């Protein structure tokens, strides 16, 4: 892959037309542009397609085909972009909900650390309603717009990210030891194929905008954050297609000729299961 061509295509993909340099201004601009342009979504998992984590597969899906992905894909793609732009990027292992579910959670997420002149930054595009701009590696609260996140150092090698109140997760922990995307291949296979995985049982899509994030779970559309709204149930397959295309920027042609129909049918079953669970617990 030609590096200059890859850089041009990726910048075009995320709509970044400004200067590119290994500095704070560019780091913020690229991180924010990626979060706004590349949707968090698990549609390939829902369609039974394998998830490829090698560089060519990621570039083809996220850049050429203008799709999104889930945490491993998102952060591997963002790392690729930042490295092309000249940043020193370290991928690290993370554990969503380790605070409540323990050590078995390690590896269910990945995150990125960016070293910029001796100052560290946490970058992450792999939480659907996560932060839009990178966070300085400094303990304490970090305010972005009307939302407040927090970083806590648990020990010399482990940190905890606390989401804003009302976020889709409460926290995740991450270690400082460098990892490669290949180290997460087994976790990705498990999370993308296991019948017990939420990524298999539930269609997910998310995309941030201003002080809120649109989140689609099966057929239920929510707006989370400071500008929250009442959940909306998508009424029919046409609205479902419009929502994926307009709100989540998914190119529908890439889903295949029967992709939308298949996903619509599948999400109906998922919503029925949710209703059954609610009835059984009330």
């Amino acid at each position: 892959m030609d590096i200059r061509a890859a850089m041009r295509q990726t910048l075009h993909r995320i709509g970044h037309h400004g200067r590119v340099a290994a500095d704070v201004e560019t780091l913020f601009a690229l991180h924010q542009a990626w979060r706004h342009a590349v949707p968090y979504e698990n549609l390939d998992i829902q369609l039974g397609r394998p998830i490829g984590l090698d560089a060519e597969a990621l570039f083809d899906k996220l850049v050429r085909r203008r799709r999104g992905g889930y945490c491993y894909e998102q952060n591997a793609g963002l790392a690729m972009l930042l490295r092309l732009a000249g940043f020193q990027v370290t991928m690290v292992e993370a554990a969503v909900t380790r605070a409540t579910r323990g050590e078995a959670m390690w590896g269910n997420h990945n995150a990125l650390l960016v070293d910029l002149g001796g100052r560290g930054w946490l970058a992450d595009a792999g939480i659907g309603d996560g932060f839009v701009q990178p966070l300085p590696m400094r303990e304490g609260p970090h305010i972005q717009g009307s939302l407040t996140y927090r970083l806590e150092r648990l020990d010399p090698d482990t940190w905890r990210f606390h989401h804003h109140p009302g976020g889709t997760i409460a926290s995740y922990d991450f270690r400082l030891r460098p990892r490669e995307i290949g180290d997460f291949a087994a976790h990705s296979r498990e999370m993308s194929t296991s019948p017990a995985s939420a990524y298999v049982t539930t269609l997910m899509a998310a995309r941030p905008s201003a002080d809120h994030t649109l989140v689609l779970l099966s057929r239920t559309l929510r707006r989370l954050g400071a500008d929250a709204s009442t959940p909306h149930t998508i009424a029919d397959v046409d609205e479902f297609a419009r929502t994926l295309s307009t709100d989540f920027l998914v190119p529908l042609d890439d889903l295949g000729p029967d992709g939308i129909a298949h996903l619509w049918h599948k999400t109906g079953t998922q919503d029925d299961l949710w209703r059954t669970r609610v009835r059984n617990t009330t």
Side-chain angles (χ1 to χ4, degrees), residues 250-264:
V250 175
L252 301 185
D253 289 348
D254 196 65
L255 303 180
D258 301 317
I260 287 293
H262 178 78
L263 293 172
W264 175 249

Side-chain angles (χ1 to χ4, degrees), residues 19-282:
R19 59 187 288 275
V20 175
D23 57 22
V24 172
E25 180 182 357
T26 301
L27 175 62
F28 272 56
L30 295 182
H31 194 284
Q32 180 167 301
W34 183 280
R35 292 283 288 120
H36 285 159
V38 184
Y40 179 94
E41 48 105 335
N42 69 339
L43 302 185
D44 278 357
I45 295 173
Q46 293 293 303
L47 292 169
R49 298 175 178 177
I51 301 299
L53 296 181
D54 61 279
E56 179 54 35
L58 289 166
F59 187 84
D60 180 60
K61 181 179 181 180
L62 302 178
V63 178
R64 293 194 189 102
R65 291 158 46 204
R66 304 184 69 83
R67 286 286 305 283
Y70 75 147
C71 62
Y72 304 119
E73 299 171 286
Q74 285 277 355
N75 281 329
L78 179 58
M80 190 184 309
L81 167 63
L82 295 177
R83 287 166 179 157
L84 286 171
F87 291 96
Q88 296 182 35
V89 181
T90 301
M91 181 173 287
V92 296
E93 181 182 31
V96 173
T97 68
R98 175 180 176 244
T100 55
R101 299 181 63 187
E103 301 304 302
M105 297 300 102
W106 281 114
N108 70 4
H109 187 57
N110 61 346
L112 305 174
L113 304 180
V114 181
D115 184 352
L116 194 53
R119 186 180 183 188
W121 298 85
L122 175 65
D124 190 349
I127 299 295
D129 66 332
F131 49 88
V132 172
Q133 297 174 338
L135 302 179
M137 286 286 289
R138 182 183 70 244
E139 285 197 279
H142 300 282
I143 299 172
Q144 294 186 6
S146 61
L147 303 176
T148 300
Y149 309 94
R150 184 164 62 89
L151 289 179
E152 175 187 6
R153 192 160 197 167
L154 303 179
D155 62 48
D157 297 313
T158 311
W159 289 66
R160 176 167 293 163
F161 161 75
H162 295 268
H163 209 344
H164 67 77
T168 53
I169 64 169
S171 67
Y172 70 75
D173 296 353
F174 59 97
R175 295 165 166 156
L176 303 183
R177 182 165 67 90
R179 303 295 293 270
E180 301 294 335
I181 188 59
D183 296 331
F184 298 94
H187 289 286
S188 182
R189 281 193 299 272
E190 175 71 14
M191 293 172 68
S192 64
T193 61
S194 170
S197 169
Y199 295 99
V200 174
T201 61
T202 307
L203 181 146
M204 303 177 187
R207 181 168 169 259
S209 176
D211 279 349
H212 69 267
T213 299
L214 283 178
V215 176
L216 178 66
L217 297 177
S218 297
R219 294 182 179 180
T220 302
L221 187 65
R222 292 174 169 84
R223 189 166 64 189
L224 304 180
D227 188 20
S229 66
T230 303
H232 166 70
T233 300
I234 294 176
D236 55 42
V237 67
D238 291 333
E239 184 186 0
F240 181 68
R242 286 195 305 272
T243 298
L244 287 177
S245 177
T246 302
D247 293 327
F248 297 102
L249 307 182
V250 175
L252 301 185
D253 289 348
D254 196 65
L255 303 180
D258 301 317
I260 287 293
H262 178 78
L263 293 172
W264 175 249
H265 174 74
K266 195 168 187 178
T267 55
T269 303
Q270 293 171 4
D271 269 9
D272 288 343
L273 291 173
W274 284 0
R275 294 189 196 99
T276 299
R277 292 192 192 105
V278 170
R279 284 197 299 268
N280 291 340
T281 57
T282 56

